[in-house]
Amino acid sequence: MLVELVTTGSELLLGEITNYNSAYLSKQLNELGYFVVYHTTVGDNPQRMKDVLKTALSRADLVITTGGLGPTQGDMTKIIGAELMNRPLIYDQAIADSVQAWVTAHHGTVTMTENQKRQAMIPEGAAIFDNEAGTAPGVAMQGGGKNLVHLPGPPSEMRWMYENRLKPWLLKTFGSQGSIRSLYIKIYDMGEAFIEERLMDLVKDQSNPTLAMYARPGFVEVRLTARADSEEQAEALLEPLEEEVRSRLNDQIVSFNDETMADVLGREVRQAGYIVSAAESCTGGLIGSLITDIPGASDYFRGSAGTYCNEMKEKLLGVSHETLERYTAVSAETAAEMADGSRRLYGSDIAVSTTGIAGPGGGTEEQPVGLVYTGVSGPWGTLVHRDVYHGGRAEIKRRAAVRAIYYVVRYLVNHKNK
């Protein structure tokens, strides 16, 4: 079954909000074996929305929209969808009662406004998806071999409605369409071209499963995908290719699927029984934030010293005044002393530090914006890495923080394998 996802709302086209809905629905629908073949975004313009939905219905079996189901005049998706499917809108008292209950519970008001009552207007004969996460109900219409589904736009409401209403409706109405399973391998210390050299013959010979590579911020992602009649069959197809790719990348530190480098760090230090700490300047605490995103990180992570100014580098970490004067705060020497100081401060086995220039100003020819020194101090001595990251301030900080965690993992793995 071919699917088109249509996200509505001028705020998406203006860049005011990020479109998370399409990514979420694509992933979920692929797991059910549905082919998502188009993503379209349209603003709050009646004629353009009508043209977009008309085109979508002409080329896809199932069209799913998100957004435009609220109470205001700009919420027109349901009205236009009903028109295209030749369904009059009728007042549904049960929906009106549920909207009333939600409004009372969340706002303490007894009477709905007139525009809130618009949400109880439902296309005649449509399947109704009541909304326990908000007020706007979803609907599904069928006719002429086409299927049009409207879901609310707020991501929390949309996800709740997909999982609790649309997914069961799809399985009941159409059954499983098979299964599309993907495995994602993230590689942090090898460029896309070098990875392709190792895997080129697999790329050329692919059919089912398939292999693709994508450059991501701070890593390269290799995606393995298989399609079969069942989840078990798809995973069986993936298994030989996964083993082959693993064997060719066995000297690389990788993470899988939704696993982050902080997950890998947690696994490695737990196995070794080590305690970790950090000292951060340019990353401003982001290393500690990423590490503590992992449940149970308190078992092995002592903390991160945020030493953004030179005074705190000296007082908290013991970085020498001479080092800061001679080499500056952004230097390999300072990064090394920061990492050593973090070990002393927290009594940790391994510590990581970052110091650099996140921008957008402050760079020079010798020290460009994006320059970051990362120090790793542990039982086998102190190492310092020099990197220059590109992008805006937030991206530089995130790249540096993820890379810092990677350097700790590599420090551990390199010595574990000796």
Side-chain angles (χ1 to χ4, degrees), residues 393-414:
R393 183 177 179 86
E395 184 174 357
I396 289 170
K397 290 173 63 179
R398 183 165 186 85
R399 283 175 178 264
V402 172
R403 194 72 172 175
I405 297 171
Y406 165 79
Y407 283 139
V408 177
V409 174
R410 195 169 82 177
Y411 183 90
L412 284 165
V413 171
N414 285 349

Side-chain angles (χ1 to χ4, degrees), residues 93-152:
Q93 187 60 52
I95 293 296
D97 292 342
S98 69
V99 172
Q100 173 70 78
W102 196 95
V103 169
T104 301
H106 289 80
H107 299 289
T109 56
V110 177
T111 305
M112 287 191 297
T113 62
E114 287 302 314
N115 56 6
Q116 286 171 331
K117 293 179 181 178
R118 294 177 68 226
Q119 294 182 300
M121 299 300 293
I122 303 296
E124 186 176 36
I128 301 172
F129 303 144
D130 62 299
N131 185 356
E132 293 184 15
T135 59
V139 296
M141 295 173 276
Q142 295 180 281
K146 300 293 182 177
N147 305 275
L148 178 60
V149 173
H150 297 313
L151 300 180

Side-chain angles (χ1 to χ4, degrees), residues 181-196:
R181 307 299 293 176
S182 293
L183 173 71
Y184 300 89
I185 305 173
K186 289 171 273 192
I187 304 157
Y188 295 80
D189 206 17
M190 182 183 290
E192 198 173 5
F194 295 103
I195 297 172
E196 186 179 69

Side-chain angles (χ1 to χ4, degrees), residues 1-5 21-39 62-64 151 162 166-167 170-171 176-180 227:
M1 177 172 285
L2 302 182
V3 181
E4 180 158 354
L5 302 178
N21 288 349
S22 292
Y24 173 83
L25 286 171
S26 289
K27 183 177 181 180
Q28 300 301 319
L29 291 164
N30 279 330
E31 290 182 358
L32 298 181
Y34 290 77
F35 277 117
V36 178
V37 292
Y38 296 103
H39 284 186
L62 170 63
V63 177
I64 302 175
L151 300 180
Y162 171 80
L166 178 56
K167 182 179 178 180
L170 290 173
L171 292 174
S176 173
Q177 302 294 298
S179 180
I180 301 174
R227 178 180 175 84

Side-chain angles (χ1 to χ4, degrees), residues 365-387:
E365 188 174 339
E366 294 78 19
Q367 294 184 324
V369 169
L371 171 65
V372 177
Y373 289 97
T374 305
V376 181
S377 175
W380 306 281
T382 302
L383 302 178
V384 177
H385 304 272
R386 181 187 188 275
D387 296 284

Side-chain angles (χ1 to χ4, degrees), residues 285-331:
L286 189 52
I287 294 172
S289 177
L290 293 174
I291 291 175
T292 55
D293 281 343
I294 308 306
S298 59
D299 292 343
Y300 52 83
F301 183 62
R302 286 281 171 85
S304 180
T307 54
Y308 202 67
C309 66
N310 286 356
E311 181 183 2
M312 291 300 102
K313 289 179 177 67
E314 292 185 48
K315 285 187 175 181
L316 291 180
L317 301 174
V319 177
S320 74
H321 185 75
E322 180 184 356
T323 295
L324 293 167
E325 286 291 316
R326 181 176 180 182
Y327 299 106
T328 79
V330 182
S331 65

